[in-house]
Amino acid sequence: MKRRAYHHLILPDGSVHNLVVVEFDEQYNYVSHHPLQGEEAFVEWVGGTLNLSNQKG
């Protein structure tokens, strides 16, 4: 499991989430997300926006 933090996440349903940790499988397919609560081990800070609005949900 790979974990990256972003300022913004846009999901396929159009909802926008701010300051999130996104979990990916080994092929970098979206698995889940949760709010960033502070420093987390093994999370790479990417910043910016991850836009998944064109992905099939």
Side-chain angles (χ1 to χ4, degrees):
M1 189 78 51
K2 300 183 186 310
R3 297 167 17 145
R4 293 183 167 179
Y6 295 89
H7 283 106
H8 311 287
L9 169 65
I10 304 171
L11 294 175
D13 67 3
S15 61
V16 178
H17 302 268
N18 298 311
L19 295 175
V20 296
V21 174
V22 179
E23 296 184 342
F24 300 93
D25 65 16
E26 295 301 317
Q27 290 76 41
Y28 283 98
N29 296 307
Y30 169 86
V31 174
S32 66
H33 70 279
H34 64 269
L36 180 64
Q37 302 278 322
E39 291 279 333
E40 290 188 40
F42 306 107
V43 173
E44 177 185 357
W45 177 257
V46 177
T49 300
L50 176 60
N51 186 347
L52 299 177
S53 64
N54 59 355
Q55 303 291 313
K56 294 182 180 182

